[in-house]
Amino acid sequence: MTNNVAGSIDLVEILFTLFWLFFAVLVLYLHRESKREGYPLLSSRGDNVVVRGFPAEPPPKKFKPAHGDQYVQVPRPVDDYEPNATPAAAFFGAPLIPSGDALADGVGPAAWSNREDTPDLTLHGTPRIVPMRTQPSFHVDERDPDPRGMPVLAADGVEVGTISDAWIDIPEPMIVYLEVGLDASIGTGNVLIPFHFANIDKAAGQIHVEALMSGQFAKVPRLQNSDTITLREEDQVMGYFGGGNLLAEPSRSEPLL
């Protein structure tokens, strides 16, 4: 009697099984790692109800950014954030309706993330997005219209100010924001307009911003420093203009049909 062990082993079946085991473990690992931001979820079922799901979020890790000595922990501690909004209906998960200023309450399309309140940096440790006035070596291509000096018209057709400068992304390089000096009738100081919200009319020499009405430009989130913008400020400015597409006036939030 002989023991034929090798003859009873199906190598293809073993490899196939190992592949699916590896794939299942990989999916589980990636799903858990995806919970390093935004978890645990806060539930509307009660004040102390949190939702973790399966698998639960991974243990915190500390990462050291390329620049600076401070470490960043993820998942981050849960913020004690109470949106200024009310549910649209009396059921769990109902959409929230802003209770005050729809563009400033940070709800829905106007929401923004509580990112680091520091500028995004280049590989050399300098601010990545800066106004062109601080970079004399940069200029607008002669084949493109230079937005500086052009008047800005809001969605209601009212002129709100004049473009005083363009903010550029140094590593790219491209224009990412337009700085507009507000007319005295609208407000005081300068605010930033995300470049993709600005429609340049080269023939008329004007810039149209359909996201906001003229009276809303005075409340555009302001910058702490006139020559730099932080990651959090970027989110706030983008959220304000993004929310304007749907919430700048009541008719925009109604169905199209």
Side-chain angles (χ1 to χ4, degrees):
M1 182 177 180
T2 59
N3 295 324
N4 189 3
V5 178
S8 62
I9 297 177
D10 189 336
L11 184 58
V12 174
E13 184 176 353
I14 292 176
L15 293 176
F16 185 76
T17 303
L18 290 176
F19 167 76
W20 280 111
L21 286 175
F22 166 78
F23 189 75
V25 172
L26 177 63
V27 170
L28 191 66
Y29 169 78
L30 293 177
H31 183 43
R32 190 180 76 153
E33 288 297 311
S34 71
K35 293 185 175 182
R36 288 199 176 274
E37 290 288 347
Y39 281 82
L41 301 176
L42 302 180
S43 174
S44 57
R45 291 175 291 176
D47 294 336
N48 298 318
V49 178
V50 296
V51 179
R52 286 186 162 86
F54 177 81
E57 64 272 15
K61 281 186 179 180
K62 287 186 176 181
F63 298 90
K64 186 176 182 180
H67 307 287
D69 298 326
Q70 295 183 348
Y71 284 82
V72 177
Q73 176 180 309
V74 288
R76 300 178 184 179
V78 178
D79 295 330
D80 295 328
Y81 171 68
E82 290 293 334
N84 185 23
T86 54
F91 61 84
F92 297 136
L96 298 177
I97 299 178
S99 302
D101 187 343
L103 302 186
D105 287 342
V107 179
W112 51 273
S113 176
N114 194 26
R115 304 172 72 190
E116 290 82 4
D117 205 16
T118 55
D120 193 9
L121 302 179
T122 66
L123 292 176
H124 304 289
T126 58
R128 174 173 180 165
I129 298 176
V130 293
M132 287 186 66
R133 60 177 173 268
T134 65
Q135 303 294 321
S137 61
F138 284 80
H139 67 277
V140 178
D141 193 288
E142 293 79 5
R143 295 167 295 181
D144 297 324
D146 191 336
R148 290 172 293 184
M150 290 187 179
V152 178
L153 277 66
D156 52 7
V158 177
E159 184 175 326
V160 298
T162 304
I163 298 298
S164 60
D165 207 349
W167 287 54
I168 56 174
D169 185 332
I170 293 179
E172 290 302 329
M174 62 182 180
I175 297 177
V176 287
Y177 295 101
L178 295 177
E179 183 176 339
V180 54
L182 297 178
D183 289 344
S185 59
I186 301 298
T188 58
N190 295 2
V191 298
L192 294 187
I193 302 172
F195 189 64
H196 57 273
F197 283 97
N199 298 318
I200 300 178
D201 186 343
K202 183 178 180 180
Q206 298 175 337
I207 295 178
H208 299 268
V209 180
E210 300 298 329
L212 300 180
M213 301 297 170
S214 56
Q216 295 163 336
F217 272 85
K219 295 184 179 180
V220 173
R222 304 301 177 99
L223 307 183
Q224 305 172 43
N225 189 307
S226 59
D227 289 338
T228 59
I229 182 170
T230 69
L231 293 168
R232 185 180 304 174
E233 290 168 345
E234 285 196 67
D235 255 31
Q236 291 172 340
V237 172
M238 289 289 187
Y240 194 89
F241 280 84
N245 281 333
L246 188 66
L247 304 173
E249 61 168 339
S251 63
R252 293 188 178 185
S253 60
E254 297 300 319
L256 295 177
L257 299 178

